[in-house]
Amino acid sequence: MFTFLKQHKISVLVTAIGCSAIVWTISLYAGSQSSVEKNQHKKSTNSDTTFTLLFGGDMMGHQPMINAAWNDSTQKYEYLPWFQFIQPIVNQATWSCANLEVTLAGPPYSGYPQFSSPDDYAAAIQQAGFDFLVTANNHSQDRGKDGLERTISVLDSLKIPHTGTFIDTGAFKQSHPAVVEVAGCKIAILNYTYGTNGLVVKHPNMVNMIDTAWMDKEMKKAKQLGVDLIIPVMHWGVEYMTTENADQRKTAEFLATRGANAIIGMHPHVVQPIKYVAGPKSAQVPVAFSLGNFVSNQRDINRDGGIMVQLTCKKIKGKVSVQKVSYIPFWVWRLQETNVQYHLRKGYYILTEKQVSMLTGEDKDKATLFFSNVRKIVNGPDTHRPIEEIKP
């Protein structure tokens, strides 16, 4: 397993399973002052505690995004400004995770249908406050074996913990399930995808696929490691559908009965409802079926934004549980030229409803419609337990 220990400088403790214990520690640079401040609240403790886990959706990399990130003045790709309005929220969470839905395969950079973004993109996501990335998605294989392996290499070089894709079976056995340690609690993060767009994963690479027998085995392994929570992050569903389908529900029910404490969904590029499914001993397991896009060039209705889902967890007398599920909606503002009033270069800015006052005309109308729609979607007609919205 991988156990990620969060401190002022993040430490990573790796324990090889099935052989003599090998332990080493790697110091990681937090990436920004805000990230350092965030990590100061993550020191391990054995006492009763409350902490939050924050999940964001699909980090896309369409060609217009790559073009917009390039700064002629600095001769660099600059993504970090796009996160400036959402960054304080990310850093308020104890731990945060997002889906990297591009490869970092190096130049030539490209968008859809086979994504390869600059390494600066991953660095900006880290600097924005995200602690962990999942990489098993339908674009994991976009640049083949070399792209998959270089993506892993870049994330490792940036000291960004990740799971979902693996260079070989040895790396998989050593690092899966990924176990993050937050506030003295061990949390298993499992990541699976429905496929890789028909592109064959080349030996010895591995991409975690949705398979009930395989997932059952991994859930059991996580329990054997003595984790406090198990959270599968799933790449599933039908693109652009604002309701979950039967396969998603069936898979969620399977994971819940096998011991998942919460389930997070990605892929449809639109928000889907947050519901509860039955788990063991009458437990109710929250399922966020789709978080939508975190940042992308998609501009159609419901595709131009997403939600972050926050799990508020409590440790009481050694037992850890998910106490509350809440969400934060946001809309992506595409600036096609410099905005002098707000000193913003062209780009894709992630806005909460608090920043709608910055907008005018069609942009304001689209943002207003998105926030209205997403509230109806999250708490759909068959959602029996209303999900609280966090308003920054």
Side-chain angles (χ1 to χ4, degrees):
M1 68 171 179
F2 254 141
T3 302
F4 301 105
L5 301 172
K6 302 295 297 182
Q7 297 179 354
H8 175 78
K9 283 191 175 180
I10 310 165
S11 297
V12 178
L13 176 67
V14 183
T15 306
I17 304 299
C19 59
S20 59
I22 303 172
V23 180
W24 67 96
T25 301
I26 306 172
S27 289
L28 309 186
Y29 177 62
S32 69
Q33 180 61 33
S34 56
S35 295
V36 171
E37 292 170 351
K38 176 182 179 183
N39 292 330
Q40 289 174 338
H41 299 287
K42 298 186 178 184
K43 295 179 180 179
S44 297
T45 175
N46 292 320
S47 60
D48 292 353
T49 187
T50 299
F51 58 93
T52 54
L53 309 176
L54 186 69
F55 293 86
D58 303 328
M59 297 282 188
M60 306 303 297
H62 297 101
Q63 188 64 52
M65 297 170 65
I66 297 171
N67 297 342
W70 178 253
N71 188 332
D72 283 328
S73 299
T74 61
Q75 293 291 292
K76 294 179 181 179
Y77 288 97
E78 297 179 356
Y79 290 91
L80 185 57
W82 301 359
F83 296 89
Q84 62 186 275
F85 301 107
I86 207 80
Q87 186 172 356
I89 298 169
V90 177
N91 279 293
Q92 285 172 7
T94 316
W95 178 89
S96 53
C97 170
N99 170 43
L100 183 67
E101 197 157 353
V102 298
T103 66
L104 306 171
Y109 303 124
S110 61
Y112 184 83
Q114 293 184 312
F115 293 100
S116 178
S117 289
D119 301 350
D120 306 87
Y121 189 24
I125 293 170
Q126 179 189 48
Q127 290 162 8
F130 284 95
D131 302 300
F132 194 95
L133 293 174
V134 292
T135 57
N137 54 64
N138 57 307
H139 290 287
S140 301
Q141 195 63 24
D142 277 4
R143 288 289 188 90
K145 183 174 183 292
D146 290 344
L148 183 147
E149 292 184 356
R150 189 179 185 280
T151 300
I152 292 171
S153 177
V154 171
L155 295 179
D156 288 345
S157 71
L158 292 170
K159 308 298 188 290
I160 302 175
H162 56 89
T163 194
T165 56
F166 310 89
I167 290 176
D168 54 30
T169 54
F172 172 82
K173 290 177 181 178
Q174 178 179 291
S175 63
H176 196 268
V179 179
V180 299
E181 186 167 322
V182 182
C185 304
K186 294 181 179 180
I187 303 161
I189 304 296
L190 309 178
N191 178 216
Y192 305 94
T193 179
Y194 73 91
T196 54
N197 291 343
L199 301 174
V200 177
V201 180
K202 299 293 181 65
H203 180 79
N205 297 166
M206 292 182 65
V207 177
N208 267 355
M209 299 293 182
I210 295 174
D211 176 273
T212 53
W214 182 254
M215 293 188 299
D216 186 41
K217 180 180 177 181
E218 292 303 297
M219 298 276 281
K220 289 177 180 176
K221 184 177 178 181
K223 292 177 184 178
Q224 291 168 0
L225 295 174
V227 301
D228 297 295
L229 297 174
I230 300 175
I231 303 178
V233 181
M234 311 299 294
H235 209 76
W236 60 3
V238 179
E239 290 185 335
Y240 317 131
M241 296 294 294
T242 56
T243 56
E244 79 281 7
N245 64 15
D247 286 342
Q248 287 170 279
R249 289 193 296 271
K250 185 176 180 180
T251 302
E253 289 165 359
F254 172 84
L255 292 168
T257 60
R258 295 309 190 274
N261 299 97
I263 302 164
I264 305 295
M266 317 283 190
H267 174 63
H269 302 298
V270 294
V271 175
Q272 292 182 344
I274 302 174
K275 299 181 180 180
Y276 287 82
V277 298
K281 300 179 181 179
S282 302
Q284 290 294 302
V285 178
V287 185
F289 281 102
S290 175
L291 307 190
N293 289 319
F294 197 96
V295 59
S296 83
N297 185 57
Q298 294 188 340
R299 307 310 302 164
D300 292 335
I301 188 170
N302 296 327
R303 305 183 199 178
D304 48 355
I307 61 173
M308 291 185 288
V309 166
Q310 179 171 284
L311 306 178
T312 301
C313 307
K314 287 190 176 182
K315 178 182 179 182
I316 302 175
K317 295 182 180 180
K319 182 175 177 58
V320 183
S321 61
V322 177
Q323 294 286 309
K324 186 173 72 172
V325 181
S326 47
Y327 75 101
I328 305 161
F330 55 85
W331 185 74
V332 178
W333 184 20
R334 182 179 64 175
L335 274 180
Q336 300 190 67
E337 58 185 25
T338 298
N339 183 297
V340 177
Q341 181 181 0
Y342 295 108
H343 309 287
L344 302 175
R345 290 182 60 250
K346 64 180 180 180
Y348 294 77
Y349 294 87
I350 304 152
L351 309 181
T352 68
E353 194 169 32
K354 185 177 180 180
Q355 286 91 40
V356 169
S357 60
M358 299 169 57
L359 307 175
T360 59
E362 185 180 12
D363 286 335
K364 188 169 187 176
D365 292 342
K366 285 187 172 182
T368 301
L369 177 62
F370 175 83
F371 286 111
S372 175
N373 285 349
V374 81
R375 291 185 178 106
K376 297 173 185 176
I377 293 168
V378 168
N379 287 296
D382 58 345
T383 302
H384 302 297
R385 293 177 61 177
I387 307 301
E388 178 185 338
E389 178 184 342
I390 297 175
K391 296 188 177 183

